[in-house]
Amino acid sequence: MKNKKIEAHMKYFRPQIILCGVMFVAACGGGGGDEPGGVSNVPPPPPPPPSVQNGVFKDRNVIGLAFTSGSESGITDTDGSFSCETGNEISFAIGGVGLGQTACATLATPNQLATIDAQFDLQVTNLARFLQMLDQDGDPDNGIVISDLVQQIADNWTQVDFRTTDLASELVQIISDAASVDGTLHALPSEQAALLHLMDTLNCAYAGAYAGTFSGSNSGAAGMVIGWFGPSFGFSPLGFEWQGFDSVNEFTEFGGGTNSITIQDLPVIDHTQAGFAGPISARFDSPDRITGTWDGGTVELQRIGGDNGAEYRFVGKADNIEVQAYISLNLDGTAFSGEAFDVIEGTTFQVTGTLTGDAVSLTATGGGITNVGSGTLTKNADGSPDEVQGTFDDGSSFSMVACRLN
């Protein structure tokens, strides 16, 4: 975004330094210590404590899972959050049933817990069905809550075989126990219903804006928006758009399309057809970081503006001749927050706003520039946010479409 008109059109579809040191204390020649040879018997300093970060377990938010990561342990709380040791694994369980483990990160999902082999899809399906069955009110769309009573009785459960082709038989006693203590049905969802729910969660979780650099035959700032070309949230593979700008050579790399992103443990971008420029092949190293190659070199991107605890996510783009900015906004209650990255300027903008009835106000600030906008929110038949359209104070327009994150 520059100090010029911004013509925005938005469609949908969180450095760590580890210091390691060894201290050597020695004396030259004779004397200088009580030990032979004059070497002081000073023990090395203890290693620094492990770094801890917070994350969220999602098939929507999942509350009531036990987690362990090194010295960190506990139960996922009211927004599905957990803590884990950076660089370590984190494992999840409910009573005597272990669900699996994955790398410590800001986001954990059932598909990350499955082993990638010939039965990966079956494991993911069974994990999703199991978790959704445990939901106290039977409606996983508003989050999965594993009650205190179920957590207690789960200590009596034995390990579930998540590779079974007959999960219903595997869970007879567990379903009976959960229904007995909660006083609710605890029906096992079908494979299709469970997978659609999980994919809806994943699509919105990975939708967003990403900022970084590209290098090789050209180099400069780069950005990506995931979800841009998707026909709708709730279906996979996701679409995307990305671009890099070399300001020295005034070179722009641009590409993207649909049916280019697939999700196993983490999403993979494999766009072999050229956009306006060349193809790109990349994957998520973590839920927030993308690395890969474009047809002239490499690309590295980091999520911006993401808040996994927000209720709704808006993803899109603002552009005109001089602006190419990817945007990720969160709506929690009546407050908008997020970030935008202008690839042309390599500038990140902080975006805030409020929702009053159906009226939306937005402010984007970065690089010494502030742009203010106002618009109107339209809703789906169920009352959930659908689209925001409006204008900035310089006369440019904007449009955004939402997906439900929690």
Side-chain angles (χ1 to χ4, degrees):
M1 297 181 179
K2 299 180 66 176
N3 192 9
K4 296 185 178 183
K5 283 190 175 182
I6 299 176
E7 180 178 358
H9 178 68
M10 306 175 185
K11 289 185 96 176
Y12 67 90
F13 92 75
R14 229 108 323 164
Q16 175 188 344
I17 301 173
I18 301 177
L19 299 177
C20 300
V22 178
M23 181 174 71
F24 296 93
V25 180
C28 297
D34 296 331
E35 297 299 313
V39 178
S40 178
N41 187 21
V42 179
S51 174
V52 175
Q53 65 178 344
N54 297 321
V56 178
F57 193 101
K58 283 190 173 296
D59 187 2
R60 291 289 197 262
N61 287 345
V62 182
I63 302 164
L65 289 181
F67 64 85
T68 303
S69 176
S71 61
E72 294 294 305
S73 63
I75 304 294
T76 55
D77 62 16
T78 53
D79 60 0
S81 65
F82 57 80
S83 59
C84 55
E85 292 186 355
T86 303
N88 206 340
E89 297 284 303
I90 180 169
S91 60
F92 296 92
I94 172 67
V97 180
L99 302 180
Q101 63 184 29
T102 187
C104 171
T106 59
L107 175 68
T109 54
N111 53 298
Q112 294 176 33
L113 305 181
T115 302
I116 299 179
D117 57 21
Q119 292 183 305
F120 174 80
D121 290 348
L122 179 61
Q123 294 174 71
V124 174
T125 301
N126 284 341
L127 283 164
R129 296 177 74 193
F130 176 70
L131 289 172
Q132 292 169 34
M133 176 275 297
L134 292 175
D135 184 31
Q136 186 174 24
D137 69 357
D139 181 12
D141 285 343
N142 62 16
I144 295 174
V145 178
I146 303 171
S147 71
D148 292 343
L149 292 175
V150 169
Q151 294 176 46
Q152 293 168 16
I153 201 169
D155 289 337
N156 301 322
W157 297 346
T158 58
Q159 182 60 42
V160 171
D161 178 11
F162 289 108
R163 295 173 179 269
T164 182
T165 57
D166 189 2
L167 187 64
S169 296
E170 186 82 6
L171 298 182
V172 168
Q173 187 60 53
I174 289 177
I175 292 174
S176 176
D177 287 347
S180 176
V181 297
D182 273 349
T184 55
L185 184 59
H186 283 280
L188 183 65
S190 68
E191 294 181 7
Q192 181 180 21
L195 282 177
L196 283 174
H197 182 272
L198 177 59
M199 291 313 303
D200 185 61
T201 298
L202 294 176
N203 286 349
C204 197
Y206 285 108
Y210 300 79
T213 60
F214 77 123
S215 61
S217 56
N218 289 92
S219 62
M224 179 180 290
V225 60
I226 291 181
W228 183 263
F229 284 103
S232 67
F233 285 106
F235 296 90
S236 186
L238 296 170
F240 79 103
E241 179 182 302
W242 89 282
Q243 60 184 300
F245 181 69
D246 182 341
S247 60
V248 174
N249 298 299
E250 296 188 352
F251 170 86
T252 299
E253 172 77 0
F254 179 91
T258 58
N259 300 319
S260 300
I261 300 178
T262 56
I263 302 174
Q264 283 195 327
D265 57 337
L266 292 169
V268 174
I269 303 168
D270 186 12
H271 188 64
T272 57
Q273 295 181 346
F276 288 109
I280 183 173
S281 178
R283 68 166 287 124
F284 281 72
D285 295 334
S286 73
D288 297 320
R289 183 173 183 268
I290 302 169
T291 61
T293 60
W294 61 290
D295 61 347
T298 61
V299 60
E300 297 184 8
L301 302 165
Q302 189 78 21
R303 180 188 292 275
I304 64 169
D307 179 3
N308 286 326
E311 188 173 4
Y312 292 95
R313 176 167 287 169
F314 293 76
V315 179
K317 177 182 178 183
D319 66 345
N320 61 19
I321 294 176
E322 306 229 0
V323 174
Q324 295 291 321
Y326 294 129
I327 303 174
S328 182
L329 297 183
N330 315 291
L331 176 62
D332 204 359
T334 61
F336 284 99
S337 65
E339 291 180 306
F341 181 71
D342 183 353
V343 180
I344 303 299
E345 293 298 318
T347 302
T348 300
F349 288 75
Q350 302 298 316
V351 184
T352 59
T354 57
L355 175 64
T356 305
D358 293 333
V360 174
S361 62
L362 296 175
T363 301
T365 303
I369 307 300
T370 298
N371 294 283
V372 178
S374 60
T376 303
L377 173 71
T378 58
K379 298 179 180 179
N380 296 308
D382 62 2
S384 61
D386 178 24
E387 186 174 12
V388 173
Q389 292 185 339
T391 59
F392 285 106
D393 54 3
D394 62 0
S396 60
S397 63
F398 63 84
S399 174
M400 296 183 290
V401 178
C403 70
R404 182 173 178 176
L405 188 58
N406 292 303

